[in-house]
Amino acid sequence: MAARSVTLGIDLGTTSVKAALVEAAPGDPSGFVVLASCARAAQAETAAQSAAAGPQGQEQDVTRIVQALHECLAALPRQELRKVCGIGVSGQMHGVMFWKTGQGCEWTEGGAAPVFEPRAVSHLVTWQDGRCSSKFLASLPQPESHLSVATGFGCATIFWLLKNSPEFLKSYDAAGTIHDYVVAMLCGLTRPLMSDQNAASWGYFNTGSQSWNLEILRAAGFPVHLLPDVAEPGSLAGRTSQTWFEIPKGTQVGVALGDLQASVYSCMAQRTDAVLNISTSVQLVASMPSGFQPAQTPNPAAPVAYFPYFDRTYLAVAASLNGGNVLATFVRMLVQWMADLGLEVEESTVYSRMIQAAAQQRDTGLTITPTVLGERHLPDQLASVTRISSSDLSLGHVTRALCRGIVQNLHSMLPFQQLQEWGVERVIGSGSALSRNEVLKQEVQRAFPLPVAYGQDVDAAVGAALVMLRRNLNQQES
């Protein structure tokens, strides 16, 4: 009998890093078992490296993200890590970081296990970065792609750095997402490799021809040498160049996937399922039929975008920038108000009390449009509160209205009726903000009156592991 196929899945998220060990369910090739998993807070926020980015800049310290990754691996059972025959990696799309080829990391003996330490690297400029104003974006060349370019997208950030910090770019000769970087370091790649999922999330990538808009970019003076090579999602990036923790040298590593696609892969059982993920941000995703091709030109005002999935298919995605981060902003505001009044209270206490209060307040006349971060299709929109009456000012009313606003904002982007037209019969709910918030669940049911399933482990880490697991099983069969 063949040795068990254990795969490691890694997801490098905005707020946390996750790792999961997955194997095929006995007697069910399509099923899987999560043997062990671990999550660690990244705590990687840092001031922008470029002073010109101002308060709109959103950057993270790559060393802290890698440290959180190593803490995750150290917490997994060593005897299972020894059996790992494939590594799948996913992470936050759109973001960009830079490094020097051959100097991006140094392998060291980290206590009991070999680890890689980032060396000649920049910060990660995340998808939440807001340095590219509407005026700046309007000055950029029109992409030859069905996806428009927004602030926080890798190519937009590089254009911004080219204009505002050209010396900064001269220090590096490689670029990628944070998960592309990790794959490059694990495999010792001389050139970064990127899946079309991540390439599309950067902008200026044509998913039809599977190529960057090189002529358009060159004409605009863009440093095209920084663009990674592109590969099919589900293909191999290489093999580990070192033993990593207990994982053997020479273990297969998949090209890095988008966290959205990896999450959907782990839980979309049927094409008639839609996936609703509410974490830091929100995504409502439906699968488009095989053969579907998006329009050739971008429509920046369209609330639904079409992202590449697997096997040249597409996902319809309503991606709202306003999700759990809005609730977190509200909690921080309440904590700050109380501090101003001379009262100290924990954020976790405020969060649980306000959800409790909202659960008891089943309805409200108060209306909150929660778009404190704008939206990609409406970048200048801010939040608002309307229909304020003296009877709707309790914590329960305001929290109920805020949760309803998050879901209604998403519904305005991709209405229930459209899902019905696409043949969606069930919603799979996932994400940390949704799983621990009963009020959000009630509002989802109210806005999308379809059967809603919860409770499956839908981490992108599991999805990334599954892509590698099924690849290995298919190879064994053939």
Side-chain angles (χ1 to χ4, degrees), residues 47-54 57-59 94-99 121-126 129-133 136-137 139-140 151-172 174-176 202 220-223 226:
Q49 279 178 328
S50 170
Q58 288 280 340
E59 299 188 6
H94 310 297
V96 58
M97 60 169 289
F98 306 89
W99 64 93
V121 303
S122 71
H123 286 165
L124 165 67
V125 181
T126 77
D129 189 84
R131 70 186 68 190
C132 298
S133 65
F136 177 80
L137 291 168
S139 74
L140 300 181
T151 187
F153 281 31
C155 285
T157 302
I158 294 172
F159 265 125
W160 187 95
L161 289 165
L162 187 65
K163 182 184 176 185
N164 295 280
S165 301
E167 290 306 311
F168 170 86
L169 286 177
K170 289 175 185 169
S171 310
Y172 305 101
W202 266 24
F222 186 96
L226 290 173

Side-chain angles (χ1 to χ4, degrees), residues 61 111 147 152 161 198 247 343 419:
D61 184 332
L147 293 165
L161 289 165
N198 287 325
I247 302 165
L343 302 167
L419 292 179

Side-chain angles (χ1 to χ4, degrees), residues 3-202:
R4 284 192 312 170
S5 261
V6 177
T7 57
L8 169 68
I10 292 163
D11 178 51
L12 304 156
T14 312
T15 51
S16 63
V17 173
K18 301 183 183 80
L21 289 167
V22 175
E23 73 169 340
D28 178 11
S30 65
F32 63 93
V33 178
V34 179
L35 300 171
S37 63
C38 180
R40 288 286 183 271
Q43 294 178 318
E45 277 68 31
T46 188
Q49 279 178 328
S50 170
Q56 285 77 31
Q58 288 280 340
E59 299 188 6
Q60 291 187 326
D61 184 332
V62 171
T63 301
R64 284 192 212 150
I65 297 170
V66 171
Q67 195 178 333
L69 170 61
H70 287 149
E71 285 171 14
C72 278
L73 289 178
L76 295 175
R78 296 174 69 165
Q79 70 274 17
E80 299 295 352
L81 286 171
R82 289 187 194 115
K83 298 172 190 166
V84 167
C85 61
I87 301 171
V89 185
S90 71
Q92 47 177 292
M93 294 193 296
H94 310 297
V96 58
M97 60 169 289
F98 306 89
W99 64 93
K100 273 190 177 175
T101 304
Q103 299 174 52
C105 77
E106 186 182 340
W107 284 87
T108 60
E109 286 297 323
V115 296
F116 67 91
E117 303 284 353
R119 285 294 180 259
V121 303
S122 71
H123 286 165
L124 165 67
V125 181
T126 77
W127 63 271
Q128 292 177 299
D129 189 84
R131 70 186 68 190
C132 298
S133 65
S134 298
K135 185 181 173 186
F136 177 80
L137 291 168
S139 74
L140 300 181
Q142 184 76 355
E144 189 186 288
S145 164
H146 73 281
L147 293 165
S148 48
V149 180
T151 187
F153 281 31
C155 285
T157 302
I158 294 172
F159 265 125
W160 187 95
L161 289 165
L162 187 65
K163 182 184 176 185
N164 295 280
S165 301
E167 290 306 311
F168 170 86
L169 286 177
K170 289 175 185 169
S171 310
Y172 305 101
D173 58 3
T177 64
I178 179 68
H179 35 312
D180 296 324
Y181 164 78
V182 166
V183 167
M185 297 307 108
L186 287 178
C187 301
L189 300 182
T190 51
R191 270 192 63 76
L193 190 62
M194 187 181 243
S195 66
D196 66 352
Q197 297 173 351
N198 287 325
S201 81
W202 266 24

Side-chain angles (χ1 to χ4, degrees), residues 43 327-339 342-356 395:
Q43 294 178 318
L327 291 166
T329 301
F330 181 60
V331 169
R332 282 196 299 271
M333 180 189 82
L334 292 176
V335 168
Q336 185 58 54
W337 282 10
M338 288 192 237
L343 302 167
E344 292 298 321
V345 63
E346 292 288 327
E347 285 189 9
S348 56
T349 306
V350 173
Y351 189 86
S352 59
R353 292 280 173 84
M354 73 187 218
I355 299 303
Q356 217 175 337
L395 183 61

